[in-house]
Amino acid sequence: AVKMTMNNSMLIYLNGTDNSKNNPNQNYAREFFELFTIGKGPQIAPGNYTNYTETDIQQAARVLTGFKAHWNNNTHRDTDTNIRCGTAATWDHDTGNKTFSSAFNNTVITGRNTSAGMITELHDFVNMVYGKDETAKAICRRLYQYFVFPEISAEVETDIITPLAAELKTNNYELLPTVRKLLN
């Protein structure tokens, strides 16, 4: 999730490179929650989607301010993948503390003002989201729907999704053992 956030193409595609402290852009933050990790869950009130709130999207957008696409092909490459990645522009980062809703146990991510601090904030944010059981369940639901069947019954949720999610989280979100178990 950190690498995906820092990926040059993602920074461009979902407006991350335009996300600034003076004009936070919520596009990537919203998709990070809804599409890539925890999912909405049923709406229980205006701006409250069970698993996160509109306030959480706003705070996430603040965490993500200042990450910019880097245009030089020869520098700023991910050390694992060799794919171009963005850079942390401290001058455009919101250095204030970011306070999330009760959906994330009112977590406060401490604002920082260095490049390394921005990366720490990003890691804190990703760890907060992946620390929720619902994130593992959302990922396992997508795996089930892709590999097995598009509809998930209450029985499947209880007997397959919940145990798979527990294993996924225990294995630090290593997908291969979870996919193997699902397919077996």
Side-chain angles (χ1 to χ4, degrees):
V2 169
K3 289 178 183 292
M4 175 180 69
T5 300
M6 294 294 297
N7 180 286
N8 240 23
S9 296
M10 188 64 77
L11 284 167
I12 295 164
Y13 181 64
L14 289 176
N15 309 106
T17 201
D18 300 326
N19 188 6
S20 68
K21 67 181 178 184
N22 294 325
N23 190 21
N25 186 308
Q26 299 175 8
N27 194 19
Y28 180 71
R30 185 175 304 282
E31 302 304 351
F32 185 87
F33 285 129
E34 186 174 339
L35 296 179
F36 304 139
T37 61
I38 198 164
K40 275 183 168 181
Q43 185 169 0
I44 56 176
N48 185 340
Y49 307 106
T50 306
N51 297 330
Y52 62 87
T53 67
E54 287 295 319
T55 299
D56 295 322
I57 293 168
Q58 294 163 5
Q59 296 304 298
R62 291 180 59 218
V63 168
L64 300 168
T65 57
F67 291 102
K68 305 295 179 191
H70 199 278
W71 303 105
N72 186 335
N73 284 328
N74 298 317
T75 61
H76 288 86
R77 291 190 174 269
D78 181 87
T79 55
D80 295 325
T81 64
N82 202 33
I83 295 173
R84 287 191 315 165
C85 60
T87 187
T90 56
W91 57 269
D92 209 14
H93 179 64
D94 183 333
T95 59
N97 292 344
K98 290 81 175 177
T99 304
F100 290 83
S101 74
S102 60
F104 293 102
N105 304 318
N106 301 308
T107 297
V108 175
I109 294 180
T110 303
R112 295 175 176 92
N113 60 5
T114 65
S115 294
M118 288 174 65
I119 301 298
T120 298
E121 279 188 58
L122 177 57
H123 279 274
D124 291 348
F125 170 66
V126 168
N127 289 336
M128 176 189 76
V129 174
Y130 277 83
K132 301 298 289 181
D133 291 341
E134 190 54 42
T135 300
K137 288 180 182 178
I139 292 168
C140 288
R141 284 184 200 107
R142 289 184 189 117
L143 291 171
Y144 181 88
Q145 290 171 320
Y146 183 81
F147 287 112
V148 181
F149 195 71
E151 294 177 27
I152 297 175
S153 67
E155 182 181 17
V156 167
E157 182 73 25
T158 302
D159 296 346
I160 297 173
I161 302 301
T162 299
L164 277 178
E167 180 176 317
L168 181 63
K169 197 170 171 189
T170 298
N171 289 332
N172 199 29
Y173 287 88
E174 177 63 39
L175 286 174
L176 189 56
T178 304
V179 171
R180 279 189 180 130
K181 187 169 189 169
L182 174 64
L183 296 178
N184 284 329

mmCIF file of all heavy atoms in Angstrom, residues 128-151:
data_model
loop_
_atom_site.group_PDB
_atom_site.id
_atom_site.type_symbol
_atom_site.label_atom_id
_atom_site.label_comp_id
_atom_site.label_asym_id
_atom_site.label_seq_id
_atom_site.Cartn_x
_atom_site.Cartn_y
_atom_site.Cartn_z
ATOM 1 N N MET A 128 -2.592 1.824 10.296
ATOM 2 C CA MET A 128 -3.886 2.054 10.939
ATOM 3 C C MET A 128 -4.995 1.346 10.161
ATOM 4 O O MET A 128 -5.823 0.641 10.736
ATOM 5 C CB MET A 128 -4.172 3.558 11.020
ATOM 6 C CG MET A 128 -5.540 3.907 11.575
ATOM 7 S SD MET A 128 -5.947 5.663 11.419
ATOM 8 C CE MET A 128 -6.359 5.759 9.657
ATOM 9 N N VAL A 129 -5.002 1.505 8.842
ATOM 10 C CA VAL A 129 -6.048 0.911 8.009
ATOM 11 C C VAL A 129 -5.930 -0.615 8.004
ATOM 12 O O VAL A 129 -6.920 -1.327 8.168
ATOM 13 C CB VAL A 129 -6.016 1.483 6.573
ATOM 14 C CG1 VAL A 129 -6.997 0.763 5.674
ATOM 15 C CG2 VAL A 129 -6.307 2.982 6.600
ATOM 16 N N TYR A 130 -4.724 -1.127 7.835
ATOM 17 C CA TYR A 130 -4.526 -2.577 7.791
ATOM 18 C C TYR A 130 -4.628 -3.227 9.168
ATOM 19 O O TYR A 130 -4.740 -4.444 9.267
ATOM 20 C CB TYR A 130 -3.196 -2.917 7.112
ATOM 21 C CG TYR A 130 -3.311 -2.915 5.616
ATOM 22 C CD1 TYR A 130 -3.221 -1.725 4.893
ATOM 23 C CD2 TYR A 130 -3.540 -4.079 4.911
ATOM 24 C CE1 TYR A 130 -3.346 -1.704 3.520
ATOM 25 C CE2 TYR A 130 -3.672 -4.071 3.533
ATOM 26 C CZ TYR A 130 -3.574 -2.888 2.849
ATOM 27 O OH TYR A 130 -3.713 -2.874 1.487
ATOM 28 N N GLY A 131 -4.630 -2.420 10.213
ATOM 29 C CA GLY A 131 -4.821 -2.953 11.559
ATOM 30 C C GLY A 131 -6.269 -3.333 11.848
ATOM 31 O O GLY A 131 -6.560 -4.049 12.806
ATOM 32 N N LYS A 132 -7.187 -2.873 11.026
ATOM 33 C CA LYS A 132 -8.602 -3.169 11.213
ATOM 34 C C LYS A 132 -8.944 -4.535 10.615
ATOM 35 O O LYS A 132 -8.552 -4.836 9.484
ATOM 36 C CB LYS A 132 -9.466 -2.087 10.550
ATOM 37 C CG LYS A 132 -9.236 -0.680 11.068
ATOM 38 C CD LYS A 132 -9.556 -0.520 12.526
ATOM 39 C CE LYS A 132 -11.022 -0.570 12.791
ATOM 40 N NZ LYS A 132 -11.378 -0.398 14.195
ATOM 41 N N ASP A 133 -9.688 -5.341 11.348
ATOM 42 C CA ASP A 133 -10.112 -6.656 10.846
ATOM 43 C C ASP A 133 -10.913 -6.529 9.551
ATOM 44 O O ASP A 133 -10.834 -7.390 8.677
ATOM 45 C CB ASP A 133 -10.956 -7.383 11.898
ATOM 46 C CG ASP A 133 -10.155 -7.804 13.113
ATOM 47 O OD1 ASP A 133 -8.914 -7.875 13.020
ATOM 48 O OD2 ASP A 133 -10.779 -8.072 14.155
ATOM 49 N N GLU A 134 -11.668 -5.453 9.425
ATOM 50 C CA GLU A 134 -12.522 -5.282 8.248
ATOM 51 C C GLU A 134 -11.711 -5.142 6.967
ATOM 52 O O GLU A 134 -12.181 -5.514 5.895
ATOM 53 C CB GLU A 134 -13.454 -4.080 8.426
ATOM 54 C CG GLU A 134 -14.525 -3.985 7.378
ATOM 55 C CD GLU A 134 -15.382 -5.246 7.214
ATOM 56 O OE1 GLU A 134 -15.759 -5.862 8.219
ATOM 57 O OE2 GLU A 134 -15.664 -5.615 6.050
ATOM 58 N N THR A 135 -10.481 -4.646 7.055
ATOM 59 C CA THR A 135 -9.638 -4.554 5.862
ATOM 60 C C THR A 135 -9.324 -5.945 5.333
ATOM 61 O O THR A 135 -9.447 -6.206 4.133
ATOM 62 C CB THR A 135 -8.348 -3.762 6.164
ATOM 63 O OG1 THR A 135 -8.711 -2.453 6.598
ATOM 64 C CG2 THR A 135 -7.456 -3.667 4.952
ATOM 65 N N ALA A 136 -8.935 -6.837 6.231
ATOM 66 C CA ALA A 136 -8.642 -8.223 5.819
ATOM 67 C C ALA A 136 -9.895 -8.889 5.260
ATOM 68 O O ALA A 136 -9.829 -9.611 4.254
ATOM 69 C CB ALA A 136 -8.087 -9.021 6.997
ATOM 70 N N LYS A 137 -11.041 -8.648 5.877
ATOM 71 C CA LYS A 137 -12.289 -9.230 5.372
ATOM 72 C C LYS A 137 -12.634 -8.694 3.985
ATOM 73 O O LYS A 137 -13.062 -9.449 3.111
ATOM 74 C CB LYS A 137 -13.441 -8.946 6.340
ATOM 75 C CG LYS A 137 -13.367 -9.749 7.619
ATOM 76 C CD LYS A 137 -14.530 -9.418 8.525
ATOM 77 C CE LYS A 137 -14.438 -10.183 9.837
ATOM 78 N NZ LYS A 137 -15.551 -9.834 10.738
ATOM 79 N N ALA A 138 -12.450 -7.400 3.775
ATOM 80 C CA ALA A 138 -12.760 -6.808 2.467
ATOM 81 C C ALA A 138 -11.878 -7.418 1.382
ATOM 82 O O ALA A 138 -12.358 -7.729 0.283
ATOM 83 C CB ALA A 138 -12.580 -5.287 2.521
ATOM 84 N N ILE A 139 -10.612 -7.614 1.678
ATOM 85 C CA ILE A 139 -9.703 -8.220 0.700
ATOM 86 C C ILE A 139 -10.098 -9.671 0.439
ATOM 87 O O ILE A 139 -10.130 -10.120 -0.712
ATOM 88 C CB ILE A 139 -8.246 -8.099 1.177
ATOM 89 C CG1 ILE A 139 -7.834 -6.622 1.147
ATOM 90 C CG2 ILE A 139 -7.308 -8.961 0.326
ATOM 91 C CD1 ILE A 139 -6.529 -6.314 1.847
ATOM 92 N N CYS A 140 -10.433 -10.408 1.486
ATOM 93 C CA CYS A 140 -10.838 -11.809 1.308
ATOM 94 C C CYS A 140 -12.156 -11.928 0.548
ATOM 95 O O CYS A 140 -12.336 -12.857 -0.240
ATOM 96 C CB CYS A 140 -10.911 -12.515 2.660
ATOM 97 S SG CYS A 140 -9.268 -12.821 3.352
ATOM 98 N N ARG A 141 -13.061 -10.989 0.759
ATOM 99 C CA ARG A 141 -14.304 -10.997 -0.026
ATOM 100 C C ARG A 141 -13.999 -10.831 -1.516
ATOM 101 O O ARG A 141 -14.581 -11.514 -2.356
ATOM 102 C CB ARG A 141 -15.238 -9.879 0.439
ATOM 103 C CG ARG A 141 -15.942 -10.156 1.736
ATOM 104 C CD ARG A 141 -16.943 -9.050 2.088
ATOM 105 N NE ARG A 141 -17.218 -9.105 3.500
ATOM 106 C CZ ARG A 141 -16.772 -8.216 4.395
ATOM 107 N NH1 ARG A 141 -16.080 -7.165 4.002
ATOM 108 N NH2 ARG A 141 -17.044 -8.365 5.674
ATOM 109 N N ARG A 142 -13.101 -9.929 -1.823
ATOM 110 C CA ARG A 142 -12.744 -9.715 -3.233
ATOM 111 C C ARG A 142 -12.082 -10.957 -3.833
ATOM 112 O O ARG A 142 -12.345 -11.309 -4.982
ATOM 113 C CB ARG A 142 -11.834 -8.499 -3.360
ATOM 114 C CG ARG A 142 -12.589 -7.214 -3.096
ATOM 115 C CD ARG A 142 -11.721 -5.991 -3.322
ATOM 116 N NE ARG A 142 -12.412 -4.814 -2.847
ATOM 117 C CZ ARG A 142 -11.987 -4.044 -1.861
ATOM 118 N NH1 ARG A 142 -10.858 -4.319 -1.250
ATOM 119 N NH2 ARG A 142 -12.676 -2.991 -1.495
ATOM 120 N N LEU A 143 -11.231 -11.603 -3.051
ATOM 121 C CA LEU A 143 -10.602 -12.841 -3.529
ATOM 122 C C LEU A 143 -11.658 -13.908 -3.787
ATOM 123 O O LEU A 143 -11.639 -14.592 -4.816
ATOM 124 C CB LEU A 143 -9.572 -13.354 -2.514
ATOM 125 C CG LEU A 143 -8.307 -12.526 -2.353
ATOM 126 C CD1 LEU A 143 -7.486 -13.035 -1.174
ATOM 127 C CD2 LEU A 143 -7.487 -12.534 -3.629
ATOM 128 N N TYR A 144 -12.582 -14.061 -2.856
ATOM 129 C CA TYR A 144 -13.646 -15.059 -2.992
ATOM 130 C C TYR A 144 -14.488 -14.759 -4.240
ATOM 131 O O TYR A 144 -14.778 -15.653 -5.038
ATOM 132 C CB TYR A 144 -14.525 -15.082 -1.744
ATOM 133 C CG TYR A 144 -15.620 -16.114 -1.804
ATOM 134 C CD1 TYR A 144 -15.396 -17.416 -1.365
ATOM 135 C CD2 TYR A 144 -16.870 -15.798 -2.315
ATOM 136 C CE1 TYR A 144 -16.392 -18.378 -1.432
ATOM 137 C CE2 TYR A 144 -17.870 -16.750 -2.394
ATOM 138 C CZ TYR A 144 -17.627 -18.036 -1.946
ATOM 139 O OH TYR A 144 -18.617 -18.978 -2.024
ATOM 140 N N GLN A 145 -14.872 -13.511 -4.391
ATOM 141 C CA GLN A 145 -15.707 -13.137 -5.541
ATOM 142 C C GLN A 145 -14.972 -13.326 -6.862
ATOM 143 O O GLN A 145 -15.586 -13.687 -7.854
ATOM 144 C CB GLN A 145 -16.175 -11.687 -5.392
ATOM 145 C CG GLN A 145 -17.189 -11.541 -4.278
ATOM 146 C CD GLN A 145 -17.508 -10.098 -3.954
ATOM 147 O OE1 GLN A 145 -16.625 -9.236 -3.938
ATOM 148 N NE2 GLN A 145 -18.774 -9.820 -3.680
ATOM 149 N N TYR A 146 -13.694 -13.137 -6.878
ATOM 150 C CA TYR A 146 -12.925 -13.297 -8.103
ATOM 151 C C TYR A 146 -12.703 -14.774 -8.439
ATOM 152 O O TYR A 146 -12.892 -15.193 -9.576
ATOM 153 C CB TYR A 146 -11.575 -12.584 -7.982
ATOM 154 C CG TYR A 146 -10.757 -12.656 -9.247
ATOM 155 C CD1 TYR A 146 -11.007 -11.793 -10.304
ATOM 156 C CD2 TYR A 146 -9.743 -13.604 -9.392
ATOM 157 C CE1 TYR A 146 -10.267 -11.859 -11.479
ATOM 158 C CE2 TYR A 146 -8.996 -13.675 -10.564
ATOM 159 C CZ TYR A 146 -9.263 -12.804 -11.599
ATOM 160 O OH TYR A 146 -8.533 -12.882 -12.755
ATOM 161 N N PHE A 147 -12.317 -15.565 -7.446
ATOM 162 C CA PHE A 147 -11.930 -16.952 -7.694
ATOM 163 C C PHE A 147 -13.059 -17.964 -7.545
ATOM 164 O O PHE A 147 -12.989 -19.051 -8.104
ATOM 165 C CB PHE A 147 -10.791 -17.379 -6.753
ATOM 166 C CG PHE A 147 -9.470 -16.781 -7.102
ATOM 167 C CD1 PHE A 147 -8.882 -15.844 -6.268
ATOM 168 C CD2 PHE A 147 -8.802 -17.136 -8.257
ATOM 169 C CE1 PHE A 147 -7.649 -15.291 -6.575
ATOM 170 C CE2 PHE A 147 -7.572 -16.592 -8.584
ATOM 171 C CZ PHE A 147 -6.994 -15.661 -7.735
ATOM 172 N N VAL A 148 -14.100 -17.640 -6.779
ATOM 173 C CA VAL A 148 -15.104 -18.648 -6.456
ATOM 174 C C VAL A 148 -16.483 -18.286 -6.996
ATOM 175 O O VAL A 148 -17.035 -18.980 -7.851
ATOM 176 C CB VAL A 148 -15.170 -18.914 -4.932
ATOM 177 C CG1 VAL A 148 -16.198 -19.994 -4.605
ATOM 178 C CG2 VAL A 148 -13.797 -19.309 -4.402
ATOM 179 N N PHE A 149 -17.064 -17.218 -6.467
ATOM 180 C CA PHE A 149 -18.445 -16.881 -6.822
ATOM 181 C C PHE A 149 -18.706 -15.425 -6.468
ATOM 182 O O PHE A 149 -18.247 -14.942 -5.431
ATOM 183 C CB PHE A 149 -19.409 -17.806 -6.052
ATOM 184 C CG PHE A 149 -20.810 -17.803 -6.579
ATOM 185 C CD1 PHE A 149 -21.122 -18.389 -7.799
ATOM 186 C CD2 PHE A 149 -21.837 -17.212 -5.851
ATOM 187 C CE1 PHE A 149 -22.416 -18.381 -8.293
ATOM 188 C CE2 PHE A 149 -23.145 -17.211 -6.328
ATOM 189 C CZ PHE A 149 -23.433 -17.807 -7.553
ATOM 190 N N PRO A 150 -19.461 -14.697 -7.286
ATOM 191 C CA PRO A 150 -19.638 -13.265 -7.045
ATOM 192 C C PRO A 150 -20.510 -12.907 -5.840
ATOM 193 O O PRO A 150 -20.405 -11.801 -5.322
ATOM 194 C CB PRO A 150 -20.277 -12.750 -8.340
ATOM 195 C CG PRO A 150 -20.839 -13.943 -9.015
ATOM 196 C CD PRO A 150 -20.041 -15.118 -8.558
ATOM 197 N N GLU A 151 -21.348 -13.827 -5.394
ATOM 198 C CA GLU A 151 -22.231 -13.530 -4.256
ATOM 199 C C GLU A 151 -21.696 -14.203 -2.998
ATOM 200 O O GLU A 151 -21.225 -15.333 -3.034
ATOM 201 C CB GLU A 151 -23.646 -14.007 -4.556
ATOM 202 C CG GLU A 151 -24.292 -13.241 -5.697
ATOM 203 C CD GLU A 151 -25.669 -13.775 -6.038
ATOM 204 O OE1 GLU A 151 -26.337 -14.348 -5.152
ATOM 205 O OE2 GLU A 151 -26.065 -13.611 -7.204
#
